């Protein structure tokens, strides 16, 4: 989703939900190799300001959260802010 309130400023946002499962027949015979569920969701936010013809200013922020199932151990979530200047 993108919103541009003025011609030199825009905001973007996104949401993803991923269902990821790995299954192997070996897990029926040994606990050394287990099936896994790696479901997660992400939220991304971005803003961009055009300062002049050669300079843009971007601010990015995203959150990754692992979906916890009853068969998997508790996993910490993290958020990582990212800032960069783009000439």
């Amino acid at each position: 989703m993108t919103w541009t309130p003025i011609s030199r400023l825009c905001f973007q946002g996104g949401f993803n939900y991923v269902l990821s499962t790995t299954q192997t027949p070996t897990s029926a015979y040994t606990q050394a190799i287990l099936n896994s569920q790696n479901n997660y969701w992400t939220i991304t936010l971005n803003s961009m300001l055009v300062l002049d013809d050669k300079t843009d200013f971007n601010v990015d922020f995203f959150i990754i959260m692992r979906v916890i199932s009853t068969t998997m151990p508790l996993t910490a979530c993290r958020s990582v802010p990212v800032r960069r200047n783009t000439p």
Side-chain angles (χ1 to χ4, degrees):
M1 176 186 308
T2 301
W3 177 51
T4 308
I6 59 175
S7 64
R8 292 180 163 258
L9 176 66
C10 76
F11 299 99
Q12 295 178 326
F15 176 79
N16 295 302
Y17 184 72
V18 177
L19 298 173
S20 175
T21 302
T22 303
Q23 295 180 345
T24 177
T26 309
S27 66
Y29 303 105
T30 178
Q31 291 294 314
I33 300 174
L34 300 175
N35 295 331
S36 67
Q37 286 187 321
N38 299 308
N39 303 337
Y40 64 94
W41 57 265
T42 63
I43 295 175
T44 58
L45 303 171
N46 175 278
S47 63
M48 183 182 73
L49 176 64
V50 178
L51 300 174
D52 59 32
D53 291 343
K54 295 183 180 181
T55 308
D56 296 339
F57 179 72
N58 287 320
V59 176
D60 297 327
F61 180 79
F62 66 92
I63 298 172
I64 301 172
M65 176 74 78
R66 184 167 175 193
V67 177
I68 301 168
S69 69
T70 57
T71 59
M72 297 296 290
L74 182 64
T75 303
C77 63
R78 62 184 174 163
S79 62
V80 181
V82 178
R83 293 185 178 140
R84 65 176 180 237
N85 291 326
T86 306

